[in-house]
Each structure stands twice: as C-alpha cells, then as structure tokens.
Amino acid sequence: MVDYGIQYWANDDFFIEDGRVKVNYKNSPALIEIVKKAREDGYRGPLLIRFPHLIKKQIEKIFQSFEDSIKENHYKGEFKAVFPIKVNHYPNFILPLMELTQKRCYGLEAGSKSELIIAMAYTNANAPITVNGFKDKEMISLGFIAAKMGHDITLTIEGLNELETIIEVAKTMGKPYPKIGLRIRLHSTGAGAWAKSGGFHSKFGLSATELVEAIDLLKKNHLLEQFMMIHFHIGSQISDISPLKKALRESGNIYAELRKMGAKNLRYVNIGGGLAVEYTQYENHQNRNYTLAEFSGDVVFTLKEIAKNKKEPEPDIFIESGRYVCANHAVLISPVLELFSQEYDEKALRLKEKNPPLIEELYDLYNSIVEKTAIEYLHDSLEHMESLLTLFDLGYIDLQDRSNTEVLVHLIIKKVIKILKYKNHRDIIRIQEQVQERYLLNCSFFQSLPDYWGLGQNFPVIPLDKLNKRPTRSASLWDITCDSDGEIAFNKNTPLFLHDIDVNKEEYFLGFFLVGAYQEVLGMRHNLFTHPTELSVVFDEKGEYSIENLLEAQTILDVLDDLDYDTKEIERRLKQKLEESEEIPDDSKKEVLGQLYVMLSENGYLRTVFKGEGAIL
Ligand SMILES: *Cc1c(COP(=O)(O)O)cnc(C)c1O
C-alpha cells in the first residue's frame, strides 16, 4: 500500500502528485505547504484544518442525488434536509454551512436547548428546523418562541407525555404553533456499531398503540392540523442498505395509515441520518455496500410505491444526514516527534573486549547479512535476543550486554529492511510484525480521534509528503498521552507502512482524514490536552487560498480555568514557592518566573522543534 488507499476514502477531495497530498480544488495546494505556512506563524502541535468548499460539495451531492432520483421516478414530493447539530457544533463549521446553503432548503436539527438556540440564531430564513430528543416544558416553549419568530420549526415528540406538554403550552402561548412531528418506533433495526437508534426496544419513538393514542389526543385538542411529519432514525453509518429499505417500507405504510386516520396535513417523511462514509484504506474492507445514488433511488422509489398502493400523495422527503455532510471537511495533522528505534544506531553500540558468545554471533549476523540470508538471519537474531534477555533475567549478562543486544537487533532489522527495499513487498510483509517501528505523534487520540478509542473506528492516515518513496517501516502510532490506549497498533490485516526518517534532519507529518464528524465534541481532555489549533482554508476566485478563522489550542491557564481551578491562586502559589526557594539564586528568580508565565500562556502540546536545515524556529 503505497498510495494509502486514497482511491477508496478520499472521495476525490484529495490526490497525490509529486509525492505530496494535494487538495483537489482550485490551485491544488499541497497540504504540507498549508501546514508549513501555519507553523511559520509559530503554531506548534497538532492542527485541525477545515475546508469549507468540501462542506458545500457534500451538500450539493446530496441535493443533486435526490433531485435526480425525484426526476427519474417522476416523484411529486420535494426534498428537504437539515444538519443535525450534534455531529459538529463548532462555529467554524456551522456558520460556513449556513452561508453556503442559503439557496437550498437546508436547515438545522437540534436535540437539546443549547442546540436549539444555535438553530434559532443561524438557520436561514425559510429553511426548516427540526427538534428531536427529550424535551421539557421549557424546551417546548422555546420551540413556540421560534415559531413566533417566523421559523419553520417542527417539534418531533418522542413520547406521549411530550405531546401533553405541547397541548398545555399551546393553550398558554397561542398561535402561531410549531409543526408537530411524531417519532415512530420501528420494528426493523439498523446494522453496525450505531444500530441502537431503531428497533422495538429502541430508546426513542412511539409504538403503533401510542401513535393511535397520539392522533386521538391531537384531534381532541384541535391540533391535528399541526401534525405534519413522521420521523425515524435507524442509526449512524448504515453499512448495509437493506435495513434502511425495510425501515422505509414500515414508515411509508405508517405514513399512509396515519393519513387514513385523518392526519390530512401529514406530508413529510423524515428518514433521519445514517448515510455512511467510506473510511477504509484497504480493498475488500469497505464500510458500506451502496452508493449515494442507490440510497436516494431506494428512498424515492419505496415511498412512491407505497403512496401509489395506498392511494395517498407522495410525501416530501426530509433527511438529517450528519456524518456524510461533515466528516470530510476536516483533516487532523500531527507532527511526528520521534521514531523509537532511532537511537539505536552504530554509535550506540559499545562492544566489550570480550562479549558473551551470543552477542558475538549477533555481531557476525549483522556484518554478514545479504539479500539471500536476510529473513533467515533476522529470525536468528530475534531468537538470540530472546535468549539474551533470559540470560539477563538470570543474572548472567550485564546491562551493557543487554543494551548491545537491543542495538544489534535494531541494526539488523534496519539492514534487512534496507536490503529488501526493492524486492517484492511480500518479503517485508512477512516480517512486518516483528520489525515494526513506533512513531510518536504530537497529538492526543483521546482528544482528536475519540471514536478510535471508544469504538475502534479507523480513520485513514497518510504522510503528507515523501509519497514518491516506498515506505518500508511497518508502523504503530503512539500519541503523547500517558495512556497505553493512546496507541494505534500495527494490524497485519490492515497494515500501515511509513517512511524511515530521521526526525533530527527532517520533519514528517501524518494526516488523519474524515475527522469532521463527531470527533470534536466527543474529544476528551485526557491528560489535559485540549483541542488542536484549528484553521479554515478558503479559496478565492483566482484559486489562491488563505488561512482564516485561526483558533489556537487552549492555553494551560485556560484549561485549568475550565476545570474551575482558581488560576489567580495558581499563579500566586507558584510565585510564592519560587520566591521562597533557596535553590534558585535571587537574581534569577524574576527570569524563572517570566519563563513560567510564558509557559502558562501557551498550549500544552509539545513545542520542541526540529533544528535541521530549512527549520522554522
Ligand atoms: C445523530 C442523528 C442524526 C445524524 O446521523 P448521521 O449518521 O450522522 O447522519 C440524524 N438524526 C437524528 C435523530 C440523530 O440523532
């Protein structure tokens, strides 16, 4: 895998040219150039780069696909969509999203009071707002206020008690009322890691019995005309299209039946989110078995069939796709700080006058290794290492011998890789698990890739340059948290190879792609590493890009303040301890205090910078 499977996951958003990853838009800048530009301005540590043009691209794709399917099927309903705010709440995403979709019927979906406030402030005029999730009286009143502000808002109720509260609030707050939606509890379920949102035992929605009761309640309270939408959501990242088709048939029939029960204003079927993103870098490991065109075609066709059979009008189609809209707009860039075996070079070898025989043998292996014997010698040396470590445990060899063992084995591994470099890749693959290198990354997986930690979700990873050289090191990735879970281990079924580089001589950056959905707000501040420094790359008409909305990772003091530490008190205590210290001479106390204050106002990621040629200090 030299192209890192870019044809599977990149969606044509990025491509490789001249050994570098480039943005497939306008003047096609290389990602490494954008990163260097940000670093020239002093920003260290990980970077989260947003590309607003990719937000627009996804929205256009979804609308185009549904519009095509509607045309093909001569479907009479319309297509509308909302973005579920929970998938990315950040202003540097939401604001461009609303600006770029002004000409579309595209609004926001809220699941909490805070999200509803965002929706009320930023939804474009005439674009819809939908509200899902559990609601109290205050939240329902907020919905009524939104309606009075002129928003096209639908409150989707999750249970009968919410409907009772709506009836109560309607009496006190009066017209205009918000639209009312009912979330239906499907007996069909989704598939995959996020399937729990559907199914008979799902956390959400009304059963058939409750639906009948809801219609009665609405009728009795003269609110039936406000009931306009049914809603379901079978879970995120739908890998297989068949559960969706089942859910569509079930909900389509519920739509028709509710209309026959007198719900004459019911005309929206909201199919929730779940459209999957392809994350894989490997052939035959695809995450979904359908295309967007198939998805929209199935939705339109199924609803059309049911409407025809039940002689009801074809409903407008609403979707709440989140992941598909925003995953690809953000890329996490992490500098590589260290390769762990780097210190094992010949200089570190301190052979004695007389060495244990196994070490002498290792040394001979190292010197006499050639292509034909490479694999055999490698295996011999690994066996010798095991024996030598046992000898150490038993007290027969000393620490210097043990160090020589480590160094020699690493030297042999490197030599084998070098010798086999131009040979069939299979030979390297055969030994890859034994010879893997650990790359230390200046980022936190807990903060920036929480779904990797929590759900084992893989994100495509690729070096930003050197792609015209074959990577030879099988790699495992370590973040800088002190947690052994902060590791992306080498997996021989989906192997990652990286370049053998000397980080003292050159910089090396890895990009993690498709991180724009869910990762940011789910990210946790384990070890108090905050969000990475983020920026947006915006293109002008001439095709040039500029860096906008730069937001640096939080400073150490801000992080502590967020935890409710009294930061003034922290500063005071540090100062006092410094002044009382007898170890620091009085005339340098001021300087040390100055250093401390500078550090408190910087972010907590590692700042150590490479000092080789072309370094930006
Ligand atoms: C989370 C959620 C979505 C978004 O799902 P995606 O898989 O990100 O498209 C849509 N609707 C509801 C009700 C949700 O809870």
Side-chain angles (χ1 to χ4, degrees), residues 8 19 113 179-180 199 354 376 455 479 582 610:
Y8 302 119
K113 290 176 202 170
K179 294 173 181 169
I180 295 172
K354 188 158 172 26
E376 184 192 334
L455 296 160
D479 73 3
E582 287 165 15
F610 126 93

Side-chain angles (χ1 to χ4, degrees), residues 355-418:
N355 298 290
L358 277 176
I359 293 195
E360 294 289 350
E361 262 185 59
L362 273 181
Y363 191 62
D364 283 347
L365 287 175
Y366 173 52
N367 284 316
S368 57
I369 210 162
V370 288
E371 189 176 313
K372 216 169 96 211
T373 55
I375 303 263
E376 184 192 334
Y377 282 17
L378 176 82
H379 287 144
D380 289 350
S381 67
L382 292 170
E383 264 173 39
H384 286 3
M385 181 169 72
E386 280 305 313
S387 307
L388 283 158
L389 289 175
T390 309
L391 288 176
F392 179 80
D393 293 347
L394 297 172
Y396 291 116
I397 66 169
D398 64 16
L399 194 59
Q400 185 59 59
D401 294 329
R402 182 170 164 172
S403 158
N404 289 334
T405 307
E406 284 175 6
V407 176
L408 279 169
V409 171
H410 275 100
L411 288 175
I412 289 168
I413 288 173
K414 282 193 185 171
K415 202 162 169 185
V416 170
I417 288 170
K418 203 162 167 194

Side-chain angles (χ1 to χ4, degrees), residues 151-372:
H151 280 299
D152 171 3
I153 180 170
T154 305
L155 300 180
T156 301
I157 58 172
E158 308 276 355
L160 286 177
N161 52 347
E162 274 179 21
L163 183 54
E164 279 158 12
T165 314
I166 288 187
I167 292 164
E168 192 188 322
V169 174
K171 280 184 189 137
T172 52
M173 292 189 66
K175 288 187 178 176
Y177 298 146
K179 294 173 181 169
I180 295 172
L182 299 178
R183 182 155 178 172
I184 54 180
R185 181 173 300 227
L186 299 173
H187 72 76
S188 45
T189 46
W194 291 275
K196 292 187 291 289
S197 315
F200 198 67
H201 297 291
S202 117
K203 184 171 157 192
F204 303 107
L206 300 165
S207 65
T209 316
E210 288 168 324
L211 282 174
V212 173
E213 210 168 307
I215 297 295
D216 274 352
L217 262 174
L218 285 164
K219 259 187 207 159
K220 230 183 271 159
N221 291 281
H222 313 290
L223 281 171
L224 191 59
E225 68 201 32
Q226 290 307 111
F227 170 46
M228 300 187 193
M229 178 186 287
I230 56 165
H231 172 237
F232 69 89
H233 171 63
I234 62 169
S236 203
Q237 187 69 356
I238 300 172
S239 52
D240 177 5
I241 191 96
S242 48
L244 178 80
K245 288 200 216 169
K246 259 173 129 178
L248 281 166
R249 279 194 292 272
E250 194 180 340
S251 59
N253 279 301
I254 290 175
Y255 155 82
E257 292 301 318
L258 289 172
R259 281 190 58 94
K260 289 190 194 309
M261 287 176 65
K264 286 297 170 217
N265 281 347
L266 172 59
R267 53 195 164 92
Y268 306 120
V269 172
N270 181 340
I271 65 166
L275 196 47
V277 164
E278 186 53 72
Y279 292 97
T280 195
Q281 296 188 265
Y282 303 90
E283 202 182 349
N284 301 326
H285 281 80
Q286 272 82 344
N287 299 148
R288 54 165 197 224
N289 68 355
Y290 56 89
T291 60
L292 175 59
E294 199 180 334
F295 183 94
S296 63
D298 281 344
V299 172
V300 172
F301 179 79
T302 310
L303 292 177
K304 187 178 174 79
E305 283 294 295
I306 293 167
K308 194 170 92 190
N309 291 342
K310 296 231 156 163
K311 300 196 171 55
E312 290 292 342
E314 292 163 4
D316 287 352
I317 298 163
F318 245 87
I319 74 164
E320 300 178 332
S321 205
R323 184 184 297 273
Y324 191 87
V325 169
C326 64
N328 64 338
H329 94 283
V331 182
L332 174 75
I333 311 281
S334 174
V336 172
L337 290 169
E338 207 176 314
L339 273 63
F340 276 90
S341 73
Q342 199 164 289
E343 65 253 42
Y344 299 113
D345 64 6
E346 277 199 39
K347 283 194 285 283
L349 195 60
R350 296 206 190 112
L351 290 177
K352 301 171 179 169
E353 286 278 294
K354 188 158 172 26
N355 298 290
L358 277 176
I359 293 195
E360 294 289 350
E361 262 185 59
L362 273 181
Y363 191 62
D364 283 347
L365 287 175
Y366 173 52
N367 284 316
S368 57
I369 210 162
V370 288
E371 189 176 313
K372 216 169 96 211

Side-chain angles (χ1 to χ4, degrees), residues 444-464:
S444 156
F445 299 152
F446 298 89
Q447 170 61 239
S448 294
L449 308 170
D451 276 351
Y452 172 76
W453 173 73
L455 296 160
Q457 170 68 55
N458 281 305
F459 295 89
V461 56
I462 177 173
L464 299 191

